[in-house]
């Protein structure tokens, strides 16, 4: 790299600093100081390291950049503008409602793969993006810029160990050690060695540099590119607010824009004085390798082999999940699966057995499992991470960000509810439906039998965006023929007559409790309608209203879930304008260990409980 | 430690192995193999290391033991039985509904401080328990037994760094490196060095031992006790299933009980043959230091100084939170606060300024913040961890386990909803009410003004168990006089007349939107009732039913939260048997950056939106 280019790159760093100050001042908010510490790194990675096409950021062979320290968004926007992705002056629309240049980056922008701004998530996404390069046999490289403060997040260390385990030498992260968090110095301040020793212990190749010395920055990227068998961490010692004396290396400047007028003008003048005179040519960004396409997506629902179950077979939906996952894997190689060391409980091991190269073991680390799935999905994979449903909550904030990113991930949670039995409350998911319904663009499926589980798996693969599939530990009887079809927002009426007194809405294990109640009540002359609400989000508003109208406006919901945020609330909202009575049978206290059937009854979601509720309701 | 005692301790280890096999076989499920790898460690810590009183496990000066690898519950129960806490034969009730010896430990048992079974949480709780020793100036020590598999959880490394930062030399953890996870070998299998180098890099004193060599185990505990200025990690190389050849060091035996009859009998005979003949006396467990009491808890609501706000003052509820937190700290020294580097946004810095010794900085690591709060609360503190509400989701699984433990923690989340404005969706909590309502024993407060915020803070301190307080970024006007009182399960009717057409239920920023709507509608001749639902859980069923009945069964809820799991669902469920129409105004898509007022209107929760909804509803 000739000396002259360093001058050009340094000038680009200065330009990025100026634009970060200008845009945040125009917005009246934002984080200029965290941008300024990273200016040399950003200039180097965008104009001397990555191969990409600024006009086609989603090119499948392009190197990837993830801004994990998402509050440095202004310098990300400044860099893409400098590269030619959009006019430089557009950065002045930062944080305006009409602009996609939001306070933190989201994939509304074509050059953003995953939304960041919840700190500590970028590296996990980077792991997934790097795994995807291996999946598509591409030599694209993945760069992740992290803050020192966010390195306190455990998810960073989950990603660290997974990247080392999978020997991701196509992954290069940079920690911008500027020493300050939001409210104070970080725990290590300017002690770069503290970071270096940690990353070394976690199996990474580690390079320590002065992050404001362009030659050192360039040399570090070169060394990273030449490192094989493990990922590289560049620990860059920097100063927050570098280049503007007012706030350089000073506390209490986090998240504060300079005031319009004298304050900002002085800072910009100070930065402009840092331009170096040079006649060196502008850098040329190398183009990515030739585009290869993975082709149009198949119709998974059509392609799925007909499940071989017969009515009355007894099969757990989690087992059907595993069978379907393997079948989807055969249909298209974009289907990948991720596990957190429970593959023999979730049955994702059935996928691993046939497609070990597309099965990613994350060990007991749900955050990186979901984060890596986000990265894979951002690069074209259809990613199926699965675990016990309750442990997916460990990754709740990743799920939230996956929703903001509208990524094509399909989460599956097994072992839902008290029906798991003796393992006790720590292993029971009783709030997972609430969590996934709380992601507005997330489809939520809850199959009751193996047949619908397989069909809904194919439908999940066909549905763009986040999908959650809830599966059950105990075996349940197959109730659907292979000819039955399922749609997002649909439901199935399993029992009905023209004199039904109450509609009972159930899913999963409680559907079979509702069927028991149906028979007991029938014997005493009371007919009930039984609905399988396999699609919890979106929900079958028209079907529920019709059923409610046919049953005197009386609906009972019954779910192996807490009363909040699940099926009861979904049904209640769907029929809000009807003046119906929607009674929720659900778990209402912290449960304990015991046999599944005993717990289902003890917590009020058994056939007996439904019978009692129906009897009480028809007399009101 | 004389040689003879080693024989006695080894025999105790054998007894614990036998009881672990017997109890899991009797239960027909459970995890014998993970118990057997830890038998020497358990025997040593219970019978040669800890000072405690088996008849009084909650003695405030007793050493503490946390079983982070909670699935090894059978050996925990066997150890307490061997120590005399309950009859040895009671271990045979493992996992029965009538027994508190559940599949994983919960504080239903007097010797359990925090529920475990969601892996990777025990050390964070241990950090809190160790911090509490410092708070009460006790020399009790804290021991945490961890699995090698669970060390993949990022929360472990959050706890690691915080323990080192706070120099917790009263904390000793043990990693049981038996090499196997649930479904396969762990990523490091029997490579103890991989663990040792990581813990060293994270600033711990590290001791590597053969975990089945009792002399080495004892020596390690002694060395840990003599280590000052940093916590100690004992990395113990072990064999899963040690002592029973059938499954010793074998894969595919995780979570499997031996079959009753020949299989279990042979294993027990094999273990019994391992007893060593000795006449050495049984060990004597040293008693804890003399009991000191912190006294009865005060009535915080009575003791809180009258807030100095006047009607119409404009103060953010997050600021009132900080003011009240400092005031509560003055009332009782059991009040402690924890931060994840946002103290200047949540205003918990007001507490730090006056009580720095009871303010615990966790840096950007929400899991250990909540986990340490759980540990502190388990030992008598009233712990207030706070962050941006959206980032508390990072600790969702800890919150779930805090609910199972029914711990006295008071979480506060600031920056709720789209009203934060320009920072964009990654910083907006729109599912936090759903998360906390999904903990059945969690009280949820959502103050609208500074006066109620302070009162509700005192009420939170007076309420045993988990409490969540949601605060708001923008300033809101004070609407309550100091004489106003607030109760869990209460609400306030802010506007009413005898001809109200609709009840509008709001809280936080939307209350002021409801007031705007009230005035607009009043001008056109439509009266509405406006309710401040400051207590979202429990909810004022009687008040809501009365209001609904007075307003033609029409209720509109309006909240700066997604439509799922929040105020709308809470109200709807409360009035389910009334046949009311409950319309939910809430955020229904992923929002974007923009000015707060613009976003509140764009996402349909503004005064204008309420006016339109009322107009439409009164014509139906």
């Amino acid at each position: 790299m000739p000396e002259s280019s360093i001058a050009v790159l340094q000038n680009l760093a200065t330009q990025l600093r100026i634009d970060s100050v200008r845009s945040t001042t125009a917005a009246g908010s934002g984080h200029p100081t965290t941008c300024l510490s990273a200016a040399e790194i950003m200039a180097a990675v965008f104009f001397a390291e990555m191969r990409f096409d600024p006009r086609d950021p989603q090119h499948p062979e392009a190197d990837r950049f993830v801004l994990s320290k998402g509050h440095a968004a202004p310098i990300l926007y400044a860099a893409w503008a400098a590269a030619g992705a959009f006019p430089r002056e557009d950065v002045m629309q930062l944080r305006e409602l009409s602009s996609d240049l939001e306070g933190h980056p989201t994939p509304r922008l074509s050059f953003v793969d995953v939304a960041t701004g919840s700190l500590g998530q970028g590296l996990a996404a980077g792991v997934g993006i790097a795994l995807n390069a291996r999946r598509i046999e591409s030599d694209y490289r993945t760069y992740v810029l992290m803050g020192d403060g966010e390195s306190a997040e455990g998810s960073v260390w989950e990603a660290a160990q997974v990247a080392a385990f999978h020997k991701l030498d196509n992954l290069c992260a940079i920690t911008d050690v500027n020493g300050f968090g939001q409210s104070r110095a970080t725990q290590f301040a300017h002690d770069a060695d503290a970071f270096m020793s940690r990353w070394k212990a976690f199996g990474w190749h580690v390079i320590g540099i002065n992050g404001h010395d362009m030659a050192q920055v360039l040399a570090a990227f070169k060394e990273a590119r030449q490192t094989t068998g493990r990922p590289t961490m560049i620990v860059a010692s920097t100063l927050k607010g570098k280049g503007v004396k007012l706030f350089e290396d000073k506390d209490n400047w986090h998240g504060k824009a300079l005031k319009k007028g004298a304050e900002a003008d002085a800072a910009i003048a100070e930065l402009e004085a840092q331009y170096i005179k040079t006649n060196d040519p502008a850098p040329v960004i190398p183009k990515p390798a030739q585009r290869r396409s993975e082709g149009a997506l198949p119709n998974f629902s059509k392609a799925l082999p007909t499940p071989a179950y017969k009515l009355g077979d007894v099969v757990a939906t989690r087992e059907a999940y595993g069978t379907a996952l393997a079948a989807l894997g055969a249909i298209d190689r974009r289907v990948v699966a991720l596990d957190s060391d429970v593959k023999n409980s979730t049955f994702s091991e059935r996928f691993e057995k046939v497609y070990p190269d597309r099965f990613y073991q994350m060990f007991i680390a749900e955050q990186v499992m979901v984060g890596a799935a986000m990265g894979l999905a951002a690069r074209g994979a259809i990613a199926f991470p699965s675990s016990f449903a309750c442990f997916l909550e460990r990754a709740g904030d990743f799920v939230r960000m996956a929703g903001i990113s509208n990524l094509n991930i399909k989460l599956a949670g097994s072992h839902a509810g008290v029906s798991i039995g003796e393992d006790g409350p720590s292993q029971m998911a009783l709030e997972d439906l609430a969590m996934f319904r709380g992601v507005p663009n997330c489809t939520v499926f809850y199959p009751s039998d193996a047949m619908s589980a397989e069909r809904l798996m194919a439908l999940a693969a066909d549905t763009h965006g986040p999908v959650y599939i809830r599966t059950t530990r105990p075996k349940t009887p197959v109730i659907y023929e292979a000819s039955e079809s399922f749609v997002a927002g649909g439901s199935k009426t399993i029992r009905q007559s023209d004199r039904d007194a109450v509609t009972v809405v159930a899913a999963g294990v409680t559907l079979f409790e509702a069927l028991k109640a149906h028979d007991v009540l029938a014997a005493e002359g009371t007919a009930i309608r039984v609905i399988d609400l396999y699609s919890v989000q979106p929900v079958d508003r028209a079907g529920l209203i019709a059923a409610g109208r046919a049953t005197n406006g009386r609906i009972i919901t019954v779910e192996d879930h807490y009363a909040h945020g699940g099926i009861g609330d979904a049904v209640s909202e769907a029929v809000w304008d009807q003046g119906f009575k929607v009674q929720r049978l659900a778990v209402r206290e912290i449960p304990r260990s015991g046999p599944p059937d005993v717990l289902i009854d003890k917590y009020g979601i058994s056939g007996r409980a439904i019978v009692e509720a129906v009897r009480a309701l028809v007399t009101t």
Side-chain angles (χ1 to χ4, degrees), chain A:
Chain A
M1 189 66 63
E3 185 77 5
S4 58
S5 289
I6 287 185
V8 168
L9 289 169
Q10 190 58 57
N11 283 348
L12 276 160
T14 298
Q15 174 181 324
L16 300 184
R17 286 196 169 97
I18 290 169
D19 284 358
S20 300
V21 168
R22 289 166 69 225
S23 62
T24 50
T25 292
S29 66
H31 300 79
T33 56
T34 195
C35 294
L36 270 51
S37 66
E40 280 78 15
I41 297 162
M42 290 294 286
V45 77
F46 273 80
F47 301 104
E49 178 63 17
M50 288 203 296
R51 299 158 306 169
F52 66 105
D53 179 352
R55 300 282 174 176
D56 181 13
Q58 287 298 317
H59 192 298
E61 304 290 336
D63 291 341
R64 314 308 308 167
F65 179 80
V66 178
L67 182 71
S68 186
K69 47 180 267 182
H71 53 299
I75 198 166
L76 178 73
Y77 305 155
W80 280 98
F86 57 87
R88 186 175 164 195
E89 278 314 294
D90 284 5
V91 302
M92 301 301 279
Q93 296 164 20
L94 179 72
R95 292 174 166 241
E96 287 180 9
L97 182 63
S98 58
S99 168
D100 288 335
L101 301 176
E102 298 192 70
H104 296 77
T106 79
R108 288 188 177 114
L109 294 160
S110 60
F111 52 80
V112 174
D113 286 341
V114 295
T116 54
S118 182
L119 291 172
Q121 298 201 5
L123 189 62
V127 165
I129 294 170
L131 285 170
N132 187 73
R134 194 173 285 176
R135 180 185 71 79
I136 66 169
E137 295 173 357
S138 168
D139 67 350
Y140 78 70
R141 291 179 58 76
T142 302
Y143 298 85
V144 180
L145 177 58
M146 299 163 57
D148 47 354
E150 70 171 320
S151 302
E153 287 284 7
S155 52
V156 169
W157 301 100
E158 294 183 12
Q161 69 198 358
V162 167
F165 180 83
H166 288 283
K167 302 185 179 7
L168 295 177
D169 51 19
N170 58 355
L171 176 65
C172 174
I174 311 100
T175 304
D176 179 3
V177 184
N178 65 32
F180 287 105
Q182 171 178 318
S183 71
R184 51 165 290 168
T186 72
Q187 58 191 316
F188 305 120
H190 288 298
D191 179 9
D193 288 343
F195 290 92
M196 294 183 65
S197 59
R198 280 163 171 73
W199 287 96
K200 276 180 196 159
F202 271 70
W204 285 50
H205 179 63
V206 181
I207 309 167
I209 59 165
N210 173 348
H212 299 310
D213 182 324
M214 187 62 78
Q216 287 190 35
V217 176
L218 295 173
F221 280 123
K222 186 175 176 190
E223 183 176 326
R225 231 180 305 128
Q226 291 166 346
T227 300
T228 56
R230 52 194 169 144
T232 295
M233 172 57 72
I234 300 171
V235 176
S237 294
T238 64
L239 300 176
K240 202 162 177 173
K242 168 74 176 177
V244 175
K245 290 295 168 216
L246 176 65
F247 52 37
E248 182 178 297
D249 199 29
K250 295 217 174 89
D251 200 1
N252 272 320
W253 271 100
H254 180 94
K256 290 177 185 167
L258 291 175
K259 291 187 199 74
K260 278 175 198 162
E263 190 173 88
D265 293 347
I268 290 165
E270 185 181 351
L271 289 166
E272 283 179 336
Q274 294 165 28
Y275 277 124
I276 303 159
K277 277 213 171 142
T278 175
N279 293 319
D280 293 340
V284 177
I285 298 169
K287 287 273 185 294
Q290 199 179 340
R291 177 188 298 273
R292 298 169 301 160
S293 170
E294 295 199 82
L297 282 170
N299 182 321
F300 288 98
S301 296
K302 279 194 180 169
L304 186 79
T306 303
Y309 312 113
K310 289 191 295 285
L311 289 184
D313 284 357
V314 180
V315 185
T317 52
R318 60 181 169 129
E319 192 174 343
Y321 166 83
T323 302
L325 184 59
L328 295 174
I331 296 167
D332 196 284
R333 61 186 312 282
R334 275 164 284 196
V335 173
V336 302
L338 300 95
D339 178 39
S340 51
D341 190 18
V342 287
K343 64 187 181 188
N344 51 348
S345 288
T346 60
F347 282 92
S348 67
E349 64 182 8
R350 293 193 178 173
F351 183 94
E352 183 190 26
K353 271 178 197 144
V354 281
Y355 307 108
D357 57 321
R358 286 185 269 144
F359 182 87
Y360 306 111
Q361 183 54 258
M362 300 283 135
F363 301 95
I364 308 175
E366 295 78 11
Q367 291 185 87
V368 69
M369 179 178 72
V370 176
M374 291 164 66
L376 279 153
R379 304 311 312 141
I382 305 174
F384 285 81
S386 56
S387 182
F388 280 35
C390 62
F391 302 135
L392 290 179
E393 277 184 70
R394 207 59 168 262
D397 199 49
F398 280 77
V399 169
R400 184 175 71 89
M401 296 298 286
I404 292 173
S405 304
N406 198 31
L407 288 166
N408 202 21
I409 69 170
K410 320 296 168 187
L411 298 116
S414 68
H415 292 67
V418 300
S419 61
I420 70 155
E422 289 83 356
D423 269 341
S426 65
Q427 319 293 302
M428 296 169 177
L430 289 158
E431 53 290 282
D432 55 318
L433 292 176
M435 180 171 105
F436 287 101
R437 287 184 67 241
V439 179
N441 51 347
C442 185
T443 302
V444 178
F445 293 142
Y446 185 7
S448 299
D449 80 341
M451 185 68 75
S452 56
E454 289 211 33
R455 296 294 193 199
L456 292 170
M457 279 291 288
L459 192 53
D462 283 325
T463 305
H464 187 81
V467 178
Y468 175 59
I469 301 131
R470 186 184 217 219
T471 69
T472 301
R473 180 172 180 274
K475 294 171 193 278
T476 50
V478 171
I479 55 170
Y480 293 114
E481 305 263 14
S483 56
E484 206 71 52
S485 67
F486 299 84
V487 295
S491 68
K492 293 282 180 193
T493 304
I494 306 295
R495 295 284 185 278
Q496 68 177 321
S497 75
D498 53 10
R499 51 182 195 88
D500 294 334
V502 177
T503 295
V504 176
V505 181
V509 288
T510 61
L511 182 65
F512 302 93
E513 300 300 320
L515 294 176
K516 286 183 210 166
H518 174 275
D519 294 349
V520 170
L521 289 161
E524 61 190 47
T526 303
I528 60 170
R529 187 159 300 196
V530 178
I531 290 179
D532 174 9
L533 198 73
Y534 64 81
S535 175
V536 181
Q537 181 162 288
V539 73
D540 182 10
R541 172 170 151 82
L544 290 165
I545 289 175
R549 285 183 180 164
T551 57
N552 313 297
R554 300 182 193 122
I555 298 179
I556 292 172
T557 63
V558 53
E559 58 194 305
D560 195 357
H561 187 273
Y562 286 137
H564 304 134
I567 291 173
D569 283 349
V571 171
S572 169
E573 218 229 332
V575 303
W576 77 267
D577 56 355
Q578 301 296 309
F580 291 169
K581 294 181 180 177
V582 180
Q583 181 174 8
R584 297 158 176 82
L585 301 185
V587 181
R588 290 179 183 273
E589 61 184 293
I590 307 281
R592 52 191 307 151
S593 293
D597 285 350
V598 175
L599 297 185
I600 285 172
D601 192 54
K602 178 178 170 64
Y603 296 108
I605 56 171
S606 63
R608 184 196 56 77
I610 298 166
V611 167
E612 284 178 13
V614 168
R615 285 181 189 148
L617 202 57
V618 296
T619 61
T620 60

